[in-house]
Amino acid sequence: MTAQGFSADDIDTSRPHSARMYDYFLGGKTNYPADIQGAEAVIGIWPGVRTGAQVNRAFMHRAARWLVREAGIRQFLDIGTGIPTEPNLHQVVQGVAPEARVVYADNDPIVLRYAQALLRSTPEGRTAYLHADATDPDSILAHPELLETLDMSRPVALSLNALLHYINDAKKPYELVARLVDALPSGSYLTLSHCTPDLDPETWDRLHQMSMSGSAASAQDRTREQILRFFDGLEFVEPGLVVPHRWKPEPDQPYADVTDAEVSMFAGVARKP
């Protein structure tokens, strides 16, 4: 696959962008001065944000391995993919089950630019990338590339990691998630992580003020109760909705001893009955 239709003009480098800032927090190099300035402003208020990004990434890896090994899932739909950072989801799941199939979806032109890195599948499996918008779920669900890659009559793991705090209430995020989950068969799973002010309210008050000033990419954090609503009708995998480093921790996982306030996220995995 090539990034057809991509132009450097499609990327606005004058303002901080959430995906590029997240890349910076993860130690990546796909970012620009405005992103670095915005990211450093966030770090100045929330020093643990880099740790939070790494903890969230590690949660995604553990959840993906659990879904393959314990739940027997072989199909994944990852929406809000972000800039490729190895190991990517398909590398994690195909490392356990080479026949696994993964579809990525994102609407950021810079992700499209680097999409080739998302498509290096094992010979037995397959990966695909859709340039599509999470706020238009039907455009994802009806996309020919998705339907050619995944068998939607069989269980799928839907991954919405660190995405929904960038979709404000005006865009009806609960309805979007419900539409995506409704399209999946019984036995499918939802994996989700989301920023929260619950664990460090003072820091998040300062982040809100900075966001309103336009000095960093904006986000809508939600309380634990509000995040729980995304899982309505689903059955949580133990230990439920928790800070991500406490979701089925592994003995050698990084950042196992960080505080909940440093991470300021909740994460969970749930099954569709």
Side-chain angles (χ1 to χ4, degrees):
M1 172 180 173
T2 59
Q4 294 179 353
F6 170 81
S7 165
D9 294 337
D10 294 328
I11 298 177
D12 179 4
T13 62
S14 66
R15 294 174 58 82
H17 188 282
S18 57
R20 300 191 305 256
M21 288 172 60
Y22 190 68
D23 177 72
Y24 181 78
F25 295 142
L26 288 172
K29 297 177 180 175
T30 310
N31 42 71
Y32 297 90
D35 307 310
I36 296 171
Q37 183 178 358
E40 287 294 341
V42 173
I43 292 169
I45 294 174
W46 178 16
V49 63
R50 274 183 161 146
T51 298
Q54 296 286 354
V55 166
N56 179 66
R57 190 81 183 167
F59 160 74
M60 182 273 283
H61 293 166
R62 292 197 312 282
R65 288 193 294 268
W66 185 90
L67 286 163
V68 175
R69 290 171 176 163
E70 305 300 327
I73 297 295
R74 294 297 182 268
Q75 302 190 113
F76 291 79
L77 172 56
D78 181 49
I79 301 177
T81 302
I83 295 165
T85 303
E86 293 192 344
N88 293 305
L89 176 62
H90 70 278
Q91 293 169 315
V92 173
V93 300
Q94 290 179 349
V96 180
E99 73 277 15
R101 295 183 163 224
V102 178
V103 172
Y104 296 101
D106 204 296
N107 69 335
D108 190 334
I110 202 165
V111 180
L112 176 60
R113 182 178 183 180
Y114 292 95
Q116 195 65 38
L118 300 169
L119 301 175
R120 296 171 186 159
S121 174
T122 57
E124 302 94 328
R126 183 171 174 181
T127 66
Y129 174 77
L130 317 180
H131 191 62
D133 193 336
T135 62
D136 184 6
D138 289 332
S139 72
I140 296 173
L141 296 169
H143 199 292
E145 193 82 13
L146 179 141
L147 299 175
E148 290 173 9
T149 307
L150 304 182
D151 178 354
M152 298 300 284
S153 69
R154 299 178 64 82
V156 175
L158 170 63
S159 175
L160 302 176
N161 285 312
L163 168 68
L164 293 165
H165 44 244
Y166 295 115
I167 300 178
N168 62 37
D169 287 340
K171 295 181 179 177
K172 301 182 178 180
Y174 297 106
E175 289 85 344
L176 297 176
V177 174
R179 174 70 186 97
L180 291 165
V181 172
D182 285 348
L184 305 179
S186 174
S188 294
Y189 286 81
L190 171 63
T191 301
L192 186 154
S193 61
H194 197 300
C195 286
T196 182
D198 291 4
L199 307 172
D200 190 358
E202 292 182 3
T203 291
W204 282 88
D205 283 343
R206 295 195 296 272
L207 288 170
H208 290 159
Q209 294 170 14
M210 182 182 65
S211 177
M212 288 186 289
S213 74
S215 58
S218 62
Q220 179 168 344
D221 56 84
R222 293 182 173 93
T223 66
R224 186 176 186 276
E225 290 303 311
Q226 290 170 325
I227 298 168
L228 278 170
R229 284 182 56 197
F230 289 115
F231 293 93
D232 281 354
L234 305 180
E235 300 170 344
F236 270 113
V237 172
E238 290 294 334
L241 188 66
V242 295
V243 285
H245 52 292
R246 302 188 193 284
W247 193 90
K248 297 191 181 299
E250 297 172 348
D252 59 347
Q253 76 181 45
Y255 303 102
D257 58 350
V258 299
T259 67
D260 294 358
E262 282 181 279
V263 178
S264 283
M265 299 184 81
F266 285 117
V269 178
R271 182 182 182 275
K272 181 176 179 179

